[in-house]
Amino acid sequence: MDIKKLRQGSLIKISPRENEEGYLAIQEIQKDNIIGEMLVPRQGYHFRIKFYEIIPIPLNEKWLSKAGFTQDETDKNLWKDPHQQLDFFFSEKDKKFKDAGVLIGKVQIEFVHDLQNGYLFLTGKELNITV
């Protein structure tokens, strides 16, 4: 996992030494660890985690839905933006933002934190995800 792609607010999965897997929202990235807030299973719990304990969350239809995107009724690969600014095309071949019918960018969006980063970069707005 490329730690440089993470930022404050990025959503990640963790598997810490205590073996309690969960989802974490990053609050601070330090030299060799991350401080974050647990969202599931113990909401509000704050702790420090090493980089090697981070697991990126693979992007799938469930996570698009949690981010507020809704699946188009006629094109099942097209997911509509909750703010009507930018849609997302999700298929085995392509996982990219779509604007005015055109896929944006050359890089596939594989993880939830990539979706968050891309949305912020392209719209200037945070993408709120309900875990």
Side-chain angles (χ1 to χ4, degrees):
M1 165 159 210
D2 186 357
I3 299 300
K4 293 179 230 160
K5 290 185 176 182
L6 297 176
R7 61 180 179 80
Q8 185 177 4
S10 289
L11 191 61
I12 56 172
K13 185 174 180 179
I14 58 166
S15 183
R17 297 167 299 279
E18 297 86 25
N19 296 322
E20 184 174 355
E21 273 192 8
Y23 294 103
L24 183 91
I26 294 175
Q27 292 184 321
E28 185 179 335
I29 300 174
Q30 298 180 339
K31 182 178 176 182
D32 60 353
N33 57 54
I34 287 177
I35 297 173
E37 178 182 356
M38 178 73 76
L39 302 174
V40 172
R42 297 189 310 178
Q43 186 173 10
Y45 178 69
H46 292 79
F47 64 100
R48 184 180 314 269
I49 189 162
K50 297 288 185 185
F51 292 148
Y52 64 84
E53 297 172 312
I54 296 171
I55 303 166
I57 303 168
L59 184 61
N60 57 32
E61 293 177 344
K62 176 182 100 173
W63 284 102
L64 283 170
S65 182
K66 288 177 180 266
F69 287 86
T70 54
Q71 194 172 31
D72 189 81
E73 292 181 17
T74 56
D75 182 354
K76 296 298 182 187
N77 291 327
L78 185 64
W79 288 76
K80 297 292 192 174
D81 178 8
H83 303 104
Q84 288 85 34
Q85 290 191 334
L86 200 61
D87 294 329
F88 195 81
F89 188 82
F90 184 84
S91 71
E92 284 187 36
K93 182 182 175 197
D94 285 312
K95 295 177 183 124
K96 298 179 179 180
F97 287 102
K98 192 171 187 179
D99 187 25
V102 178
L103 294 179
I104 301 172
K106 296 179 183 179
V107 178
Q108 296 285 342
I109 296 177
E110 297 293 332
F111 302 109
V112 171
H113 67 270
D114 294 329
L115 180 73
Q116 290 175 289
N117 291 343
Y119 194 86
L120 177 63
F121 177 77
L122 293 168
T123 67
K125 294 183 179 179
E126 288 286 347
L127 186 61
N128 295 320
I129 299 176
T130 306
V131 180

